[in-house]
Amino acid sequence: ELRAMNEARNRRRREVRQYLSSQHVSFELVSRIMRFVDYRLEKFSSTQLDTSLISPTLQLELYVGQRSNYVLEMPIFKLLTECYHDVFGSVCAALQKNVYEKGENVFIAGSWVSCLYITATGHYAYIEGFDTDGESLEFSKTRWFGELSLYAEGTLHQSTLIAESFAETFTLTGQDLAECVKQSRGCMSMFCDYAKDFVAAMQGTASKCGDEDQVHVAAECCRKNQHYQELYPDPKTRLHNIQIPTTNSNGGDSDRSQELMPWEGDNLEQGDSNTPGRASRNGSKESMESVKEEEFREHE
């Protein structure tokens, strides 16, 4: 079986070279094309999966297993897989894979943004702004660009992305996303709220459609979404974490406790005898006792 696969790859490679020779293609272009063909033949299997042999559910699970690591870099898709896993599988299946050779532009500044780009493999050079000769930032990890194109039309790239090696990306259009989301009313509501907040937030930025602004806005809008707040409620808003101030049981008439009525003075402790009210009551009691003694003597 392995020998048959190698023979199939060699046959396809030979057919490409024979075609290029018959078309009198330049040697430089032939070299570039053959390097690309070798990469494709080595990277991708010559056998194709017969999808009629497995159920649609298994097909979606297969796509999720192959592509979810790249898609889950985006906050809204991470929330999608937690709330609507079936819809997330459809999004993974709707992704289109693209392969680029070294030095090929993935997109250039000033062009229309037609889809979402997610880098999968390879090395890239990212140039911010419209000057293609400006300073470039090289990276090889997964990043995404053009999310705003999923919810709004007429946006322009404000940067350039160049493949520095053989590279693969996934793309997703707004129409394909809408076809996936409409499977669930709750998912439609979640994406509608998120899209409104996302577009409004981008309008408030200085760049209007800058790549870095889209990354920051995506995280903020996702945390504001109702589905996210239900899954991850803010601890400050939980009832057992709220401190309710206690009110005075006397209804705010606290000064009343400091004013003693005549019949309340006898209940004071002995240490309170220095108060003026207590001293006057002690003097009146002594005078009454002296009057009683004088009357008793006169009677005798």
Side-chain angles (χ1 to χ4, degrees):
E1 183 179 356
L2 182 60
R3 181 181 300 176
M5 292 176 60
N6 291 332
E7 291 178 354
R9 283 198 294 265
N10 292 334
R11 177 180 55 81
R12 297 178 65 184
R13 189 178 188 279
R14 186 170 54 252
E15 290 175 352
V16 173
R17 180 173 287 277
Q18 290 176 353
Y19 173 81
L20 296 175
S21 300
S22 63
Q23 298 298 318
H24 305 287
V25 181
S26 65
F27 177 78
E28 180 184 0
L29 183 56
V30 170
S31 300
R32 290 173 55 193
I33 293 176
M34 293 310 300
R35 284 197 299 267
F36 193 86
V37 170
D38 291 338
Y39 174 82
R40 291 294 299 266
L41 291 176
E42 180 182 358
K43 191 72 175 179
F44 301 100
S45 174
S46 59
T47 58
Q48 298 293 329
L49 175 65
D50 187 359
T51 56
S52 63
L53 299 178
I54 59 177
S55 66
T57 302
L58 293 177
Q59 293 181 34
L60 292 181
E61 291 297 327
L62 181 61
Y63 282 122
V64 170
Q66 294 173 336
R67 303 174 176 180
S68 61
N69 290 336
Y70 310 111
V71 182
L72 290 178
E73 292 292 327
M74 300 182 61
I76 187 60
F77 288 139
K78 188 175 182 180
L79 179 62
L80 178 63
T81 188
E82 295 177 351
C83 299
Y84 306 96
H85 187 73
D86 293 340
V87 180
F88 177 76
S90 300
V91 171
C92 292
L95 294 174
Q96 298 294 326
K97 179 179 287 188
N98 305 276
V99 183
Y100 302 90
E101 67 166 333
K102 181 179 180 179
E104 187 173 358
N105 294 326
V106 179
F107 55 79
I108 59 176
S111 61
W112 295 106
V113 186
S114 58
C115 58
L116 166 72
Y117 294 87
I118 304 176
T119 59
T121 61
H123 298 273
Y124 302 87
Y126 176 80
I127 304 175
E128 181 71 27
F130 295 91
D131 184 8
T132 57
D133 296 329
E135 183 179 357
S136 63
L137 172 65
E138 296 184 358
F139 68 93
S140 58
K141 62 181 181 179
T142 300
R143 296 182 62 178
W144 74 93
F145 307 91
E147 183 182 359
L148 185 60
S149 66
L150 298 177
Y151 322 117
E153 296 180 350
T155 59
L156 295 175
H157 284 292
Q158 296 185 358
S159 58
T160 301
L161 185 64
I162 306 173
E164 291 293 303
S165 65
F166 285 109
E168 301 173 16
T169 66
F170 290 105
T171 58
L172 179 68
T173 64
Q175 183 63 35
D176 291 337
L177 177 62
E179 291 294 328
C180 299
V181 169
K182 71 179 184 180
Q183 300 176 19
S184 170
R185 294 183 60 183
C187 187
M188 289 178 59
S189 175
M190 182 185 75
F191 263 93
C192 287
D193 294 340
Y194 173 81
K196 292 178 182 178
D197 294 338
F198 188 89
V199 174
M202 286 303 302
Q203 290 297 318
T205 61
S207 64
K208 304 300 182 182
C209 54
D211 296 320
E212 293 298 328
D213 288 335
Q214 293 187 46
V215 173
H216 295 303
V217 167
E220 294 176 0
C221 293
C222 188
R223 288 192 294 266
K224 290 171 54 179
N225 192 271
Q226 182 179 358
H227 285 70
Y228 181 91
Q229 294 179 0
E230 291 177 355
L231 287 176
Y232 307 102
D234 188 355
K236 297 179 180 179
T237 62
R238 299 180 69 88
L239 185 60
H240 65 270
N241 291 332
I242 299 177
Q243 296 182 356
I244 302 176
T246 57
T247 59
N248 195 334
S249 60
N250 292 329
D253 193 11
S254 58
D255 295 335
R256 165 77 170 66
S257 60
Q258 299 179 0
E259 298 178 359
L260 298 177
M261 299 301 291
W263 57 81
E264 294 175 336
D266 295 336
N267 296 328
L268 294 175
E269 296 179 357
Q270 296 297 328
D272 295 335
S273 60
N274 294 328
T275 59
R278 181 62 181 264
S280 61
R281 284 191 294 270
N282 290 338
S284 61
K285 184 180 298 184
E286 292 175 356
S287 60
M288 291 179 63
E289 290 178 355
S290 60
V291 170
K292 288 182 180 181
E293 290 179 357
E294 292 178 357
E295 292 180 353
F296 181 74
R297 291 174 183 175
E298 293 177 357
H299 180 71
E300 289 181 348

